[in-house]
Amino acid sequence: MAIVEVRKLRKYFDAGGVHAVDGVDVATEEGEYLVLLGPSGCGKTTLLRTIAGLEVPTEGEVLIGGHVVNGLPPRARRIAMVFQSYALYPHKSVLANIVFPLKAERIGKAERERKAGWAADLLGIGHLFDRKPRQLSGGERQRVALARALVREPSVFLLDEPLSNLDAKLRASARDELKSFQQRIGTTTIYVTHDQVEAMGLGDRIAVMYEGRVRQIGKPVEVYDDPADTFVATFLGSPPMNLVPRDGRLIGFRPEHLLPEEIVSGDDRITLPFHVHRLEHLSGDRHLYGVVKGLGEETRIIARLPATVSVPITPDQTYTFAVHGYHLRFFDAKSGERTDPVRVGG
Amino acid sequence: MAQATLERADVETGRRARPRFADRDGLLAWVFLLPSVVYIIALVAVPFFLAIAFSFSDVTTGNPSFNWAGLRNYQRIFGDPVFWQSLKNTLVYTGIAMALIVVLGKVLANILVANFRGKWIVRFLVLLPWTTPVALSAIAWLWLLDSIFSPIDWVLREFGFIQGNMYWLGKPNLAMASVIAVYTWRTLPLAAVIIMAGLVAIPKDIVEAAAVDGAGFWRRMFEVTIPFTLPVIAVAALFGAVITFTDMTVVYLLTGGGPTHSTQVLASWAFIKGIEGGDLAQGAAVALFLFPLLLAAVIAILTAVRRMEVS
Ligand SMILES: Nc1ncnc2c1ncn2[C@@H]1O[C@H](COP(=O)(O)OP(=O)(O)OP(=O)(O)O)[C@@H](O)[C@H]1O
Ligand SMILES: [Mg+2]
């Protein structure tokens, strides 16, 4: 177990033409589950590969357990990585795949098989030992890849979208397994994903990346409730945060916080006329698409009514909705950064 | 007006619906196959059956009339120690050259896929021997290995390793080594390129996974790259074997089979007997000994290719 830290890390490709990682400072905590979240192409994989030693950083340092490891090859870093494709050795049996890292460490045969048995028990794949990777399902392959990562008792786990090849149902159960498994062994884990549901569910903390930079790092609730800028605000949450322009600022609020006025009580509520254009039913909730006036400029927004709210709504009507003042977030319209709250009257 | 357009449309669609020459797969297959069929019949099948026929006759260059001779030619060559020497040499050369080609080919292939400054020059130099005609390069080697003016000897002398000359082609063991070296040198580029194609096809993440899993260079090579490229290596080895096995030019030009037949191979012996000595019948009988061994090699190549397709 160890702390992974990167300092002022930059990685450029094509002679500086592509800034895949553009100045990242992140440190994990001991035994933490840190999720790197961001849209496709934002540099998550590159950051992970640089930590693993598969890419040489253009600038900056990588530290594992307090030591700078920039000059060390991947095998000397005591990390285990699960690739998006799992990268199992297709010509080896499941057992040979799992013991491969132990063989590389010149551990004796009996000890190897004991450890492989332990990892297989943990992941429930003992009965698959004699199969070849191509005879396994996606979920089984993932568990073999995890077992191979696990047997070495690495100081750090690096996982690159290990669930993205699985179907929705399997992904949910695999996510659950992964989380409880990590809690049991308590190894520091860095997990890459572009799926916010995975990130919110798995992470002790989430680092949101965009264009090679970390925009915000914090607990899932913090990142969701207090986004540092408009990118984080609109990347997280589905539907994303509504942003209403007003006097050089953007006023943001989550779709689930805009509710019919009869439900919202309290002194600091702000009532708004909401003209509903369209209505969708999604897993019990109602998503209302329409236009609000009064908060700032007239803006198209989305409101999400939970299944427990039964106020009848029909399209092409105007209703009075309300939002609590403490649910409003303020951003600078130009830079997108958070700013101090301003008074917005009723 | 409307009628006219309709008719034209009909004609057009009608023309489009009729199969064109390029649509008739069965016919096309024949058209494309015909040249190779003609080629194979004229230049492979006819000479092959001619050789079988000759080997049971008493045809010579001086007297081409065909008289049945039964197994007499075979009896004669079996009684000839040069034939056995040639057969042994052919097998030994092929075996050693094949082993060298595979090992050095793998090394060269690794160099070819590596990324470094000036790799184009290196690739060009590596491929050069393959692009040079055999006869030309054999003559160049003849000069390199000359008994008196050999530049190799000169270098060795300058460094003080030897005094005088090595007489590369003059002593049986050195002559054998020289012939094997030239065979290897010549087929190496082909093998390297074939193996390189195999190396390039290895998924990158698997090699990276092995690196992260703690495998060093040798372990990665023996547990990942070689198992992955085994079918390709087999193809390279067999190509090397077939080319070495059937080649007569190198021995013929370099040593002429000498000194005293110690480097003779089946192909050069068949040529010397049949064409230079004029005894076509015996030459054909000697050459036919290449056939069963080549057949086995071809079957092995095809099996390796099939395995590659399956996995
Ligand atoms: N070897 C490379 N050469 C050149 N550009 C690269 C290379 N690897 C990555 N890039 C570029 O760097 C950027 C970041 O890539 P990266 O693979 O880290 O994205 P990612 O966040 O993992 O995306 P995804 O979620 O789609 O996997 C991309 O614009 C990509 O095109
Ligand atoms: Mg990626």
Side-chain angles (χ1 to χ4, degrees), chain A residues 13-14 18 20 39-46 84 161 194:
Chain A
F13 288 112
D14 298 336
V18 179
S40 189
C42 71
K44 308 178 295 286
T45 298
T46 309
Q84 184 168 349
E161 309 203 22
H194 59 248

Side-chain angles (χ1 to χ4, degrees), chain B:
Chain B
M1 190 65 204
Q3 187 68 30
T5 24
L6 205 72
E7 265 172 28
R8 238 174 84 189
D10 271 351
V11 170
E12 264 172 26
T13 49
R15 196 183 290 152
R16 221 172 281 141
R18 212 177 300 137
R20 298 207 189 129
F21 178 64
D23 294 326
R24 297 170 66 179
D25 288 348
L27 191 70
L28 273 185
W30 273 108
V31 169
F32 283 126
L33 277 178
L34 203 62
S36 10
V37 171
V38 169
Y39 173 89
I40 289 173
I41 289 177
L43 294 174
V44 180
V46 170
F48 177 63
F49 288 110
L50 213 57
I52 294 180
F54 278 1
S55 72
F56 293 102
S57 75
D58 65 353
V59 176
T60 62
T61 42
N63 177 14
S65 62
F66 188 97
N67 294 304
W68 181 254
L71 290 173
R72 214 170 52 222
N73 288 315
Y74 290 97
Q75 278 162 1
R76 287 231 301 273
I77 61 171
F78 286 160
D80 181 357
V82 178
F83 169 76
W84 294 109
Q85 178 74 37
S86 305
L87 183 63
K88 194 186 108 207
N89 284 348
T90 308
L91 294 175
V92 169
Y93 292 179
T94 305
I96 296 179
M98 195 164 103
L100 287 173
I101 284 167
V102 165
V103 174
L104 298 176
K106 175 75 173 65
V107 173
L108 264 192
N110 277 352
I111 295 173
L112 286 176
V113 293
N115 204 355
F116 56 91
R117 211 179 274 266
K119 64 179 172 193
W120 289 109
I121 297 283
V122 174
R123 286 186 181 181
F124 172 74
L125 290 177
V126 165
L127 293 180
L128 208 55
W130 184 247
T131 58
T132 322
V134 197
L136 218 71
S137 52
I139 289 169
W141 276 100
L142 203 55
W143 170 71
L144 280 171
L145 301 170
D146 189 274
S147 58
I148 295 163
F149 302 110
S150 163
I152 299 174
D153 284 3
W154 183 82
V155 171
L156 292 177
R157 256 198 316 273
E158 286 296 297
F159 280 102
F161 291 126
I162 57 166
Q163 271 142 23
N165 282 308
M166 291 292 286
Y167 302 108
W168 292 104
L169 303 174
K171 299 179 193 159
N173 282 342
L174 277 181
M176 279 173 110
S178 302
V179 168
I180 292 173
V182 175
Y183 276 138
T184 309
W185 170 84
R186 187 175 147 57
T187 321
L188 199 52
L190 176 71
V193 170
I194 292 176
I195 296 175
M196 177 183 129
L199 287 182
V200 171
I202 299 178
K204 198 168 148 250
D205 55 356
I206 296 215
V207 180
E208 288 177 346
V212 172
D213 281 345
F217 175 80
W218 293 107
R219 186 174 296 278
R220 283 210 296 277
M221 180 152 126
F222 282 105
E223 296 212 26
V224 180
T225 49
I226 289 187
F228 255 94
T229 41
L230 209 53
V232 177
I233 290 177
V235 168
L238 287 164
F239 263 111
V242 169
I243 289 168
T244 312
F245 198 75
T246 54
D247 182 82
M248 60 150 290
T249 329
V250 173
V251 167
Y252 183 73
L253 288 181
L254 223 50
T255 65
T260 55
H261 298 305
S262 61
T263 58
Q264 204 70 267
V265 291
L266 284 180
S268 63
W269 182 230
F271 183 79
I272 289 169
K273 264 255 143 151
I275 309 295
E276 298 198 331
D279 192 343
L280 280 180
Q282 264 201 54
V286 172
L288 274 181
F289 270 83
L290 296 171
F291 176 67
L293 295 160
L294 273 180
L295 192 67
V298 168
I299 290 171
I301 291 184
L302 291 179
T303 320
V305 171
R306 161 71 54 81
R307 255 224 317 270
M308 211 154 33
E309 278 171 357
V310 170
S311 65

Side-chain angles (χ1 to χ4, degrees), chain A residues 184-205:
Chain A
R184 245 179 303 159
I185 57 166
T187 305
T188 309
T189 302
I190 302 182
Y191 183 100
V192 162
T193 182
H194 59 248
D195 181 343
Q196 49 166 311
V197 180
E198 248 169 53
M200 300 295 281
L202 282 171
D204 291 330
R205 282 193 304 160

